[in-house]
Amino acid sequence: MTTPLISNLQRFSVDDGPGIRTTVFFKGCNLRCLWCHNPECITSAASLQFLDDVCTKCARCAAVCPNGVYEITEAGEHLLHRERCSGCGNCAQDCLSGALKVLGAPEEAEKLVSKLLRDKRYFDTSGGGVTLSGGDPMLFPDYIVPVLKKLGEAGVHRAVDTAGCVPWGHFERVLPHTDLFLYDVKAYSAALHKKLTGVDNGLILENLRRLSATGAAFFVRVPVIPGCNDDLQELSAVACFLEELPTPPELTQLLPYHSYGAGKYAALGMEDPLPNLQPPDGAWMEQALELFVSKGLNASIS
């Protein structure tokens, strides 16, 4: 079994399912969404985060790095040769300013469950639980099934956040151990979906049809990205598709674009595909919401 890397455990989350939750962010995604707000989770390998405005140029990282990733120039500029990084973490351990962090580490399933159960009293008092997110945890069924099973045995509510771009067999394995799916629908048009994410959405939509037919509990989350998928005709097509599912989603959440992840791209040495993009207008979001409500869907702006 391949052990995936985990980039973060986010405690006291209120945006990833009901109640207070602990969200586990897995590294690895087979979509390349232009607006991705977790770019550190795109690759399945460890990622090096460098905050230049925090760096004191002490050169401790250069002294401990075995691969020559760091270079401090005579002018005091801190250069990174990221292609040489092996993700060993020596630099982050020695960085006194906190400018360096290696994102992504393996965690044995039993140890992960033990960490998650520390928050059980918050889950119990709030109606919350654990959400597996990413990246896409559905890429790693061999790993997440035992985790979900053990959480269920402990009486913890389990949610899985997915883009649905995996073989249906992955869903069949995960279904018996999942209380709620958070399912992303980014576009209805296959051509538009491929333009925005790099992949066709045929498998994604078919998996959602099959998931809805099982009677499983699921929310649909529709990101609304200005200049990308915010055409009212396109959103209306998404709403019509959801209306025609064998079982409609318990909740459809419209997620207006936010820029919280914009600063991550520079810190990771990545180019932001949509620099300076602004969130959609609130009044326009209300108009978009009405499209979904008019189809009889329980919908909200998250």
Side-chain angles (χ1 to χ4, degrees):
M1 178 183 71
T2 300
T3 301
L5 303 188
I6 295 171
S7 69
N8 187 31
L9 291 184
Q10 182 176 309
R11 291 184 158 87
F12 301 101
S13 173
V14 295
D15 298 318
D16 297 315
I20 296 173
R21 312 190 69 81
T22 297
T23 302
V24 184
F25 289 92
F26 287 81
K27 285 179 62 65
C29 185
N30 53 5
L31 272 64
R32 295 295 181 268
C33 303
L34 296 178
W35 59 88
C36 181
H37 60 276
N38 290 328
E40 73 279 10
C41 292
I42 295 176
T43 175
S44 59
S47 302
L48 179 63
Q49 176 182 276
F50 172 59
L51 303 176
D52 187 53
D53 58 342
V54 176
C55 178
T56 61
K57 311 298 190 295
C58 69
R60 291 173 65 93
C61 54
V64 300
C65 178
N67 300 314
V69 173
Y70 304 99
E71 177 185 352
I72 309 297
T73 68
E74 292 183 0
E77 185 180 8
H78 194 160
L79 303 180
L80 273 69
H81 304 284
R82 292 177 179 272
E83 71 282 359
R84 303 175 185 174
C85 181
S86 64
C88 69
N90 291 351
C91 57
Q93 293 176 15
D94 257 42
C95 181
L96 300 180
S97 67
L100 288 166
K101 188 174 182 180
V102 175
L103 304 176
E107 186 81 78
E108 292 182 8
E110 290 189 3
K111 288 186 177 180
L112 175 61
V113 172
S114 179
K115 288 183 179 180
L116 295 172
L117 290 180
R118 296 173 192 171
D119 300 331
K120 190 173 185 298
R121 60 174 177 167
Y122 298 107
F123 307 153
D124 292 343
T125 57
S126 70
V130 169
T131 298
L132 305 186
S133 186
D136 197 328
M138 288 292 289
L139 294 171
F140 311 104
D142 290 342
Y143 182 89
I144 69 171
V145 166
V147 170
L148 293 167
K149 186 176 180 180
K150 290 180 182 296
L151 289 173
E153 291 170 350
V156 174
H157 183 274
R158 304 152 298 179
V160 174
D161 185 4
T162 181
C165 192
V166 296
W168 174 247
H170 290 207
F171 280 95
E172 290 181 311
R173 296 180 59 189
V174 171
L175 261 167
H177 311 290
T178 302
D179 301 299
L180 175 68
F181 286 91
L182 306 176
Y183 203 107
D184 295 346
V185 176
K186 305 172 193 297
Y188 179 75
S189 162
L192 178 62
H193 193 278
K194 188 167 186 177
K195 177 181 178 181
L196 299 178
T197 72
V199 302
D200 183 89
N201 64 348
L203 177 63
I204 293 169
L205 297 183
E206 178 58 25
N207 280 342
L208 183 53
R209 288 191 191 96
R210 298 180 74 168
L211 180 65
S212 72
T214 68
F218 68 100
F219 294 176
V220 165
R221 311 215 286 186
V222 182
V224 180
I225 316 300
C228 294
N229 69 342
D230 61 337
D231 178 80
L232 291 179
Q233 184 175 355
E234 175 65 24
L235 292 175
S236 181
V238 172
C240 288
F241 171 78
L242 299 181
E243 178 193 20
E244 295 169 358
L245 289 173
T247 303
E250 292 186 8
L251 177 65
T252 299
Q253 297 175 299
L254 302 187
L255 309 180
Y257 170 80
H258 61 70
S259 58
Y260 302 155
K264 294 182 179 181
Y265 286 91
L268 294 167
M270 300 171 64
E271 181 179 355
D272 186 348
L274 298 174
N276 305 314
L277 187 65
Q278 297 300 310
D281 176 75
W284 187 93
M285 285 298 302
E286 291 292 341
Q287 186 178 0
L289 176 63
E290 180 57 31
L291 286 175
F292 290 82
V293 173
S294 68
K295 298 298 181 181
L297 297 166
N298 179 28
S300 67
I301 299 171
S302 179

